[in-house]
Amino acid sequence: MDCPCSNFYESMHYINVQTQKYHIVKTTSQSAAQMGEYEIIDDFGGHAKCMAEKMCMESQLEETAAFINLNTLEERLAGKNSIIHEFIDKKTGWCRSRFIPVDYDENGRLLHVLFCIECIEEEKKRENRLIYLAQTDLMTGLYNRGSGERQISHLLQEKTGGLLCLIDCDKFKTINDTYGHSTGDKVIIAVAETMQKSCRDKDVVLRLGCCML
């Protein structure tokens, strides 16, 4: 079975949902080494379980097992072009597995699917970088105003008790005028670092203009 989208995937299996028989359409040497030599072709469930145990972090095994369960697959795929599950591979990092329906019988019963795995480690790194840039004041590493205010709003909605402090750097303009803006930046960074060290991980510390909150 030749599939043009196979170039995207580390591995691809063609599965008969009703019999659970399968054959491997594509696999890389790396993923093959992780999966080991499995001669079983009549039991995708057993094969997938072995794959999951070798590849997935232990904390993700239960969720992964639920995803690869063929007994519930038809219901989960109803009305969808595909379903996905993301997990952390022990060797390669973030991966995404996907079921894609291939065909149905005359009664609309799902017959065959593709089960594909792709590495998304670089995608996750880019995604995390974009999230960091959107939420962070790049000079200090604190939350920026927008993301910090959202964090505080969430805590207020959850009725979480706490203390709100507004800290201003007195005579900061004098520092900039006397020693230059580069020195002023160092002062802001030093204040931010001191606040981060003084606060707990669950506390929200943000930069509000020249003030710290």
Side-chain angles (χ1 to χ4, degrees), residues 34-210:
Q34 290 175 339
M35 288 186 285
E37 296 181 0
Y38 300 113
E39 300 298 332
I40 302 171
I41 61 170
D42 294 330
D43 178 18
F44 175 77
H47 174 66
K49 181 181 178 182
C50 290
M51 288 173 58
E53 289 175 350
K54 281 188 170 288
M55 296 174 69
C56 295
M57 305 295 290
E58 186 173 351
S59 60
Q60 297 177 314
L61 278 176
E62 183 176 349
E63 185 178 352
T64 300
F67 179 76
I68 60 179
N69 185 356
L70 293 185
N71 295 324
T72 62
L73 182 60
E74 185 168 3
E75 180 181 354
R76 288 182 286 132
L77 270 173
K80 300 175 182 176
N81 293 324
S82 68
I83 56 174
I84 63 171
H85 168 62
E86 295 180 355
F87 63 94
I88 300 176
D89 184 285
K90 295 175 183 177
K91 294 186 178 180
T92 62
W94 277 100
C95 291
R96 179 184 294 125
S97 54
R98 183 188 304 269
F99 279 111
I100 305 171
V102 175
D103 58 2
Y104 298 81
D105 66 14
E106 63 275 10
N107 297 316
R109 188 174 63 165
L110 181 63
L111 292 180
H112 298 95
V113 296
L114 288 173
F115 175 69
C116 313
I117 298 177
E118 60 181 312
C119 179
I120 58 169
E121 179 67 14
E122 292 303 316
E123 177 184 326
K124 282 291 184 180
K125 287 180 180 179
R126 291 192 297 271
E127 180 182 306
N128 290 336
R129 177 61 178 168
L130 289 174
I131 292 172
Y132 176 82
L133 292 174
Q135 295 182 345
T136 307
D137 175 69
L138 297 183
M139 180 188 295
T140 62
L142 303 178
Y143 284 117
N144 60 29
R145 178 170 181 166
S147 61
E149 288 180 346
R150 285 192 295 272
Q151 293 281 341
I152 293 172
S153 295
H154 175 72
L155 292 173
L156 292 174
Q157 290 173 1
E158 295 293 318
K159 301 187 184 301
T160 303
L163 179 67
L164 184 66
C165 298
L166 181 64
I167 300 175
D168 187 25
C169 298
D170 290 340
K171 301 181 180 179
F172 182 71
K173 185 177 183 302
T174 303
I175 296 174
N176 276 337
D177 292 343
T178 304
Y179 302 103
H181 287 277
S182 61
T183 300
D185 290 347
K186 292 178 182 178
V187 171
I188 292 175
I189 293 170
V191 172
E193 289 176 348
T194 300
M195 291 184 62
Q196 285 179 311
K197 291 176 182 178
S198 303
C199 294
R200 301 165 298 182
D201 291 340
K202 65 179 181 179
D203 293 334
V204 178
V205 185
L206 67 104
R207 183 182 177 194
L208 189 67
C210 291

